[in-house]
Amino acid sequence: MNWLWTSQAMNAALGGRPIGTLPEGITGISIDSRSVVAGDAFFAIKGDRVDGHDYASLAVANGASVIVVSEAKLPALGRLTVPMIVVEDVLSALGKLAVASRERSSARIVAVTGSVGKTTTKEMLRQALAPSGNVHAAVASFNNHWGVPLTLARMPAETAFGVFEIGMNHADEIRPLVKMVRPHVAIITTIAAAHLGHFKDLEEIAAAKAEIFEGLEAGGTAILNRDNKQFDVLEAQAHSVGVSHICTFGQHAKADFRLADFEGGSESSTIWAVLNGDTVEVHIGAPGRHIAENALAVLGAALLVGADMAGAVSALAGIRAVKGRGERHRLAIGEGHLTLIDESYNANPASIRAAIALLAATTPHSSGRRIAILGDMLEMGEFSQQVHEELAGPILAAGITHVWLAGAEMAALRDALPDSVEVVYFPTTLELGDFVVHSVVPGDVLMVKSSLGLGFGKIVAALIDNYPPFADTGHQL
Ligand SMILES: Nc1ncnc2c1ncn2[C@@H]1O[C@H](COP(=O)(O)OP(=O)(O)OP(=O)(O)O)[C@@H](O)[C@H]1O
Ligand SMILES: [Mg+2]
């Protein structure tokens, strides 16, 4: 049997107290009783909303072969028919297993942080490294205090490349996570105004992201965005913690991984990348200059971990924009179709600008319109009004003529847009969603984006529910 962990190795790492006869090994790890499959170890951690201990019996019913629980919660668990490992604290036990996983691994490890583009970059790395060996990366964003140790603990021993997304909302969150991951290569995609409400300014955000350098393996390399305004801050910070290898990507003439040219289409793009002096033409299967910038960091990281570069380059042609992050739908309406760009997963000033550029690069048909459907950017604190107002600039520059808005904060953008733009505003997502479904016409291009908390995924779902997929018959309306 190909165990993820033998019970012996797992328990040695956890330093727990076994109850019952442990199975020989486990084939997976889960912290969510709903996704438990037979042979998993279930770690009953206290998550964002619920405590896993309340779901232990469900995890057992779903096939968990061992459960890891805390000493304090043991009396309340009742009778369970499955072996257990009892520990002081389940989340720190998961962290210990993560550390043991890293210790046993001979994989080349890449960590990705940044204000935007972490998951996109992680997914591109997964594809780009795959031709060179087994890649391990999380199924979803999984970039926080439980997501990172879970992903690390799940890394099979025979992994050749591990890719980890590390995120933060506050200072001091990245440091403990990167010290578990111990990357050979650390990418900072970009520094932008995400979670700005928790910080004084962009420099403070940069300083928090710079914590990633503190976990870099000796001799490891930091990959930084040469075009970002915070480059100097990050470079200085890297030097100050003893990082000796810094590589850069971007358009800047001095970038090690340089974007020499960009040709953007509505469904894909082509870049000419200069990698340590060699120019390569790279087709990227998802549109947007921001994706191309992430791709440069990916190619740089692939080079540094010794991947097969021809394989990495050809893999990028096969990437697709993912749900909520630029995924496109063509939906049948009337005699024609509309194009829906689903950016509903999240929003901040940088990612909304990137999405506006995507909208601008997509041409409506017949009497269709380019429509930006935008909701609040949350966690902007005292900067909120200003960052919402400032979206008027990129909207006008991109020539977007229709802007449909919802949310309390978006009232600032409504007031900032001139009469030349047709603005529709509703206080709630529900009202806007209803309006959208009834107001679209054949040929429209819609880009839907807001912070997750606004629930703009419902607008996307309502459109998909009301308009069937468009079967392309070869002629366009
Ligand atoms: N380099 C970039 N610059 C600007 N915007 C970007 C960039 N990369 C991705 N985006 C935008 O950010 C959105 C979110 O991308 P992604 O999920 O990769 O970010 P993330 O950093 O993982 O976010 P989170 O912190 O929520 O996990 C995308 O839909 C896209 O609009
Ligand atoms: Mg993410």
Side-chain angles (χ1 to χ4, degrees):
M1 189 68 189
N2 195 12
W3 304 116
L4 174 61
W5 290 95
T6 63
S7 287
Q8 197 188 15
M10 178 167 72
N11 194 42
L14 265 48
R17 180 166 69 83
I19 298 182
T21 310
L22 296 181
E24 195 187 334
I26 57 155
T27 47
I29 295 174
S30 181
I31 60 165
D32 181 338
S33 61
R34 293 165 301 182
S35 64
V36 165
V37 295
D40 275 359
F42 175 70
F43 279 68
I45 67 165
K46 207 167 161 352
D48 304 334
R49 282 183 298 271
V50 297
D51 185 339
H53 291 90
D54 298 335
Y55 295 84
S57 51
L58 251 174
V60 174
N62 287 342
S65 61
V66 51
I67 59 174
V68 181
V69 297
S70 82
E71 195 77 63
K73 294 279 167 65
L74 195 58
L77 279 180
R79 273 183 167 277
L80 288 174
T81 53
V82 74
M84 295 189 245
I85 299 176
V86 185
V87 296
E88 180 76 20
D89 179 79
V90 181
L91 182 59
S92 37
L94 184 63
K96 287 179 186 167
L97 192 59
V99 168
S101 176
R102 181 65 185 89
E103 265 164 19
R104 75 175 179 178
S105 178
S106 52
R108 304 290 292 166
I109 307 286
V110 182
V112 184
T113 193
S115 301
V116 284
K118 297 181 290 296
T119 301
T120 310
T121 302
K122 176 203 70 173
E123 287 306 319
M124 288 171 112
L125 276 166
R126 185 207 298 281
Q127 307 272 349
L129 298 176
S132 304
N134 293 337
V135 183
H136 175 72
V139 286
S141 244
F142 285 8
N143 64 22
N144 62 6
H145 61 285
W146 57 259
V148 173
L150 176 64
T151 306
L152 192 49
R154 281 174 167 174
M155 181 165 72
E158 61 279 10
T159 300
F161 301 101
V163 182
F164 295 87
E165 171 174 347
I166 304 183
M168 61 111 195
N169 299 328
H170 301 92
D172 301 326
E173 288 175 356
I174 289 181
R175 186 176 297 111
L177 300 177
V178 74
K179 287 190 172 170
M180 285 180 194
V181 172
R182 290 168 36 213
H184 300 102
V185 174
I187 299 174
I188 301 183
T189 56
T190 187
I191 303 296
H195 314 294
L196 187 57
H198 302 156
F199 295 90
K200 198 168 80 230
D201 51 27
L202 285 178
E203 280 71 21
E204 247 188 27
I205 295 183
K209 301 284 184 200
E211 290 172 22
I212 199 162
F213 304 138
E214 296 175 43
L216 205 55
E217 284 284 85
T221 306
I223 301 185
L224 303 178
N225 184 334
R226 192 65 183 76
D227 301 333
N228 190 254
K229 288 209 180 81
Q230 301 304 319
F231 171 73
D232 293 339
V233 174
L234 292 175
E235 187 188 39
Q237 197 66 31
H239 284 143
S240 81
V241 297
V243 174
S244 48
H245 302 296
I246 298 175
C247 286
T248 58
F249 68 97
Q251 249 187 300
H252 197 283
K254 285 193 183 148
D256 301 293
F257 314 126
R258 187 164 66 83
L259 185 62
D261 211 350
F262 170 78
E263 206 177 272
S266 62
E267 307 275 325
S268 64
S269 54
T270 302
I271 61 171
W272 283 265
V274 185
L275 306 174
N276 285 346
D278 294 330
T279 303
V280 273
E281 182 177 338
V282 186
H283 300 283
I284 303 172
R289 195 184 177 93
H290 59 296
I291 304 283
E293 287 164 7
N294 299 337
L296 276 180
V298 166
L299 290 169
L303 199 65
L304 290 168
V305 297
D308 160 24
M309 291 308 286
V313 166
S314 59
L316 291 181
I319 66 147
R320 294 291 173 264
V322 289
K323 186 172 155 65
R325 301 182 185 84
E327 187 185 21
R328 279 170 194 246
H329 301 271
R330 293 221 282 169
L331 304 177
I333 174 170
E335 294 293 299
H337 71 270
L338 60 83
T339 302
L340 168 61
I341 306 172
D342 174 12
E343 282 276 352
S344 61
Y345 164 72
N346 224 338
N348 59 49
S351 68
I352 286 204
R353 281 169 171 73
I356 288 168
L358 284 180
L359 178 60
T362 309
T363 312
H365 301 296
S366 59
S367 51
R369 307 152 293 177
R370 282 192 183 91
I371 307 169
I373 301 176
L374 304 176
D376 292 351
M377 301 179 285
L378 302 177
E379 294 185 70
M380 291 294 142
E382 58 176 306
F383 303 95
S384 190
Q385 182 177 347
Q386 184 192 342
V387 295
H388 284 85
E389 279 170 1
E390 282 173 359
L391 292 178
I395 287 172
L396 291 172
I400 310 294
T401 48
H402 292 72
V403 178
W404 298 353
L405 305 169
E409 303 301 311
M410 275 299 174
L413 176 58
R414 175 197 60 196
D415 299 340
L417 285 165
D419 292 344
S420 58
V421 179
E422 200 183 298
V423 182
V424 173
Y425 174 86
F426 294 96
T428 68
T429 304
L430 204 66
E431 293 162 284
L432 175 62
D434 197 44
F435 172 82
V436 170
V437 167
H438 294 103
S439 309
V440 287
V441 301
D444 279 347
V445 181
L446 320 173
M447 186 278 287
V448 180
K449 193 162 187 70
S450 82
S451 276
L452 196 58
L454 272 276
F456 266 36
K458 292 193 194 100
I459 299 180
V460 172
L463 284 163
I464 292 172
D465 278 353
N466 279 275
Y467 301 100
F470 176 68
D472 199 345
T473 52
H475 66 274
Q476 287 190 325
L477 188 83

